Every structure is written in structure tokens, then in C-alpha cells.
Amino acid sequence: MGTRGQNIMNKNTSHINSLENEAIYIMREVAAQFEKPVLLFSGGKDSITLVRLAQKAFYPAKIPFPLMHIDTGHNFPETIEFRDRLVKELGLELIVRNVQDSIDQGKVKEESGKYASRNQLQTTTLLDAIEEFKFDACIGGARRDEEKARAKERIFSVRDDFGQWDEKNQRPELFDMLNGAIELGQNVRVFPISNWTELDVWSYIEKENIEIPSIYFAHTRATFLRDGLIWSADDEVVYREEDEEVVERIVRFRTVGDMSCTAAVLSEAADIKTVVQEIRESTISERGARIDDKRSEAAMEKRKQQGYF
């Protein structure tokens, strides 16, 4: 490696270390300022990164708060298997609350049709869980580069006693002064990796040699095309028309949300190194493969106003 290449590598390492230090500081502030925090965990790369950061923040002690997964029931099997194994290996407490229960209780209505998804239904289940356990801080892996509405969030983002978010009335955050003071009934959504990009997350995973679900790497999968996107045909969750032909393709997933709204991308990136290179060269956001974000220009912002993470 030449001098220029070494300088680039050193600069990138310094950048990642700075982001890690900031995230660890935020994790410790959460533990110091709130009485009952929880880490929202989906089994995806961002929440797995949060777990590693929390481990580092409180080492040699255990992570001092539970993990919680709002399970749509339509998750990729690879993600659920990884979630359960990671929690067992690390000896962590995992709380699971199911969207299906909210449907059965008549609190939300199952969508039907070509673009049906349970992703939006998670909001009710999440707000009920926050109330059930009286969580005052929910840590999540949202990043500002993902979607326009998320770019408006603070690191400590206050929700009212109905779980709603007022995007026009947020607290200033000056330097590293994080204000966790809240009124009775309010709670805070916390974003330790808010200043990270998708590439930063992957670079950190590479640096830390973090294991992630196999679905993030290239594999052969039965798929079909719709609206220019590649959908999994390996399950009975994703709606498919009779004339939508199933073809085996080599694909991977950049994000691992609800199967019904998460598309794959053509890729031969079979390890972290090649995924990092692929992300460097990509000109499309990972959320471009999430059909639920495309329902309207302000789809995510409306969901966040209602209490979605």
C-alpha cells in the first residue's frame, strides 16, 4: 500500500473512532439521565451495531437495559434466528411484542392487496409496549442519511404523552450537551448513530469484525420483479400476482425490515469487504428498496408524527 492509501485508511479509522466515541458518550448519558431505557432491536445491522457500542460503553459490566423487538411477524427467518442466537450468546434480556397481537385485539387493521405491509402497524404495538413497561428512553439505530424526516431528528428526540413527535418544536442541541429532562408521560427516542452513514456502519462492522445475518450477503434466492424492484418469493408473506415470474437470482438485502416491503438488490458481494466497496460506489439510498417509504413524499414524517420510531 502506498503512502496515499495509508493516509486514506488512517483518516477513515480516525473518523470511525470519533463516531464510536460519540455514540458511547450518548449511551452513557442515557444510562445516567433516564430511569428505564430500552434498546430497540430488529436484528438488522444498525441495531447490531448499537449492541456492540453498548457493550463497549459499559464494559466490563453487562448492558444495563433490555433489548426490545417489535415483531411484525413478517420478518426474514435469517434475521430472527440471528436475533435469538445473539441474545443468548451475550446473556441479554429480550422483550418481544407482536404486531399480530395488536391485530387480534382490533387495535389495528391488517392491510390487504398488492402493497399490503405490516410496517406501519408497528406504531401501535410500540406505543403500547412503551406504556406497558414505562420506558422513558428508547434507543434506536436511525441515521440522518436514511430518509428526509430522519434528518430532522435530534439525538435526544422528545415524544409527548401520546407518543407523538412535533418536528417543528424540538430542543436545540449545542455541542455535546444532551438534555434528558422530560415531563411526566413524555419519553425520548435516542439516536446514538444519528451522525453515521450507511458506509460508516459497514466500515465499523468491518473494523470490529461484527457478525451479522447472512441475508446481508450475496446468495441465490427465488425472486420476482415488480415496479423495478426485486422481491423474495421464498415465503408466503410477499404478495405476488400469478403472472409475476419467479426466477433465481444472486441478491442481497441492504436493509432487513418487514419482508412485505423490503426488496433485494442484485449483488455478488459475499463478504464485508466487498459490501463496503459496493456501498462506496452506490448512488442509491438503502431506503430505495423499502416500498413503504414510497407511499408518499411525506410518508415517513407522518408515521413519525404518529409515534413510529
Side-chain angles (χ1 to χ4, degrees), residues 112-132:
S112 60
K114 190 173 182 180
Y115 297 106
S117 171
R118 287 188 173 183
N119 222 35
Q120 290 196 84
L121 308 186
Q122 292 179 86
T123 299
T124 297
T125 312
L126 171 61
L127 294 179
D128 284 350
I130 292 172
E131 176 62 25
E132 176 186 355

Side-chain angles (χ1 to χ4, degrees), residues 141-156:
R143 306 186 321 269
R144 287 176 178 153
D145 72 317
E146 288 182 275
E147 197 275 339
K148 293 177 182 178
R150 285 179 165 168
K152 298 180 180 180
E153 292 272 21
R154 302 294 189 261
I155 292 174
F156 276 15

Side-chain angles (χ1 to χ4, degrees), residues 7 10 37 60 66-67 71 98 115 143 166 174-175 246 251 263 281:
N7 289 340
N10 290 341
L67 276 54
D71 190 344
N98 299 288
Y115 297 106
R143 306 186 321 269
D166 183 357
L174 307 176
F175 304 102
V246 175
V251 299
E281 297 172 357

Side-chain angles (χ1 to χ4, degrees), residues 258-274:
D258 189 296
M259 285 188 287
S260 62
C261 61
T262 306
V265 294
L266 292 173
S267 174
E268 296 187 359
D271 55 38
I272 292 177
K273 184 177 181 180
T274 50

